[in-house]
Amino acid sequence: MSKLSITAYTFGIICFIICCSMAIFYGFKFLSNDVTLEEESMEDYKYHFVLVPEELDNDYWRLVEAGAQKAAKEHNVLLEYIGPEQADNDIHIKTIEKVAAAKVDGIFTQGLNNEQFTPLINQIVEKIPVITVDTDASSSNRVAYIGTDNYYAGYLAGKALIEDTKGKANVAIIAGNLEANHQQQRVDGFKEAVKDEQGIEIIAIEESKISRVRAAEKAYLILSEHPEVNAFYGTSALDGIGIARMIEKYDQPSRIYVIGFDTLPETIDYMRKGTIEATVAQEPEEMGYKSIKMMINVSKGKYVPSIVHTNTSILRVKDVPLNDEKGDK
Ligand code: BGC
């Protein structure tokens, strides 16, 4: 073999080894979840954060996402929104684990219950900052919580119901999920507000698993078993809507008082028709917006307060504009 062909042959072997090594390296990296779908474009961004909602296509969570995406755009952050198609704690937990394995710069999630979420958050927060949004796991080492003061929100609902029913009502409560921290707090705050009212009685408490259809079914069952019920309190965004649907179909809206949660367009429509009398207004967009700014400060090593409560207020029918201008947030 000539000297030239030996050199060419050696060069060929070296190239082959380099190609094989690269294929093996990137193959492993991909399989071990080290590479996220967005990595290609990461060089355009300063940070990569992920928001894990309770339910992906829930209108309430889309508002949190909208606020977060707005801040992300303003601050050059890549924000991914990944979560269960339908509310499910196990899928929620698995999603957070997967996101944490992808080594992002910050994770936003709810602290739905202390048993499942606290150990997971504590484990992740050793490496990646976690901010709880909407629902706190206060027993965890999360860096901060941003969202409604859920106990106070429940308390406000109770006081509004007392005022609107002149202190006389047989109440049924439909909660999104009675095992979730924020739903428990919304029920506890409500109970605290009505506890000294002789004329207010809580007749039944059921859960909707944050589904309109199930909220309607549960409300129907309650009314069949307890026809004396003349007021409903729905503690999450879709509960009041489900209750209102059922009442319009099977009962007389004027006989039953309904107070719900959140200001989704459907809720506002039922308020305009008078089927829902009041709702507890949260600020989901603000939660999303502020959470991004907070996480940027955490990434920069700046101080952030451990609890930031967004505003909560009662919206009544008289406060709802006749057209879509304001209420449909
Ligand atoms: C709650 C969210 C929940 C949503 C369900 C809202 O009121 O704050 O935690 O996921 O309702 O529809």
Side-chain angles (χ1 to χ4, degrees), residues 289-321:
Y289 188 81
K290 284 190 171 157
S291 64
I292 296 290
K293 296 186 115 182
M294 228 178 175
M295 191 65 95
I296 293 172
N297 283 338
V298 172
S299 305
K300 287 181 177 164
K302 288 191 184 165
Y303 162 83
V304 296
S306 61
I307 295 183
V308 174
H309 283 144
T310 44
N311 281 340
T312 316
S313 58
I314 298 293
L315 187 77
R316 289 193 168 81
V317 169
K318 65 175 170 42
D319 310 315
V320 172

Side-chain angles (χ1 to χ4, degrees), residues 86 174 207-219 242:
Q86 272 169 357
I174 309 257
E207 52 179 15
S208 67
K209 297 287 177 205
I210 74 165
S211 137
R212 293 171 180 74
V213 175
R214 231 164 295 152
E217 281 168 10
K218 289 293 169 70

Side-chain angles (χ1 to χ4, degrees), residues 246-281:
M246 184 284 301
I247 293 174
E248 284 193 355
K249 210 162 173 192
Y250 299 107
D251 215 298
Q252 304 144 19
S254 58
R255 188 185 80 81
I256 296 175
Y257 173 87
V258 181
I259 179 161
F261 243 86
D262 299 301
T263 53
L264 297 184
E266 280 176 272
T267 304
I268 299 296
D269 285 346
Y270 280 118
M271 290 181 83
R272 287 195 183 113
K273 289 198 263 172
T275 314
I276 294 180
E277 275 78 2
T279 193
V280 181

Side-chain angles (χ1 to χ4, degrees), residues 76-93:
N76 220 12
V77 169
L78 171 63
L79 176 72
E80 288 191 85
Y81 177 75
I82 310 170
E85 296 285 337
Q86 272 169 357
D88 179 312
N89 276 5
D90 293 335
I91 300 179
H92 199 137
I93 295 274

Side-chain angles (χ1 to χ4, degrees), residues 54 58 60-61 110 134 182 186 210 236-238 262 282:
E54 182 164 18
N58 185 296
Y60 171 88
W61 281 99
Q110 290 159 286
D134 170 89
H182 64 328
R186 291 175 190 183
I210 74 165
S236 67
L238 307 181
D262 299 301
Q282 302 194 83

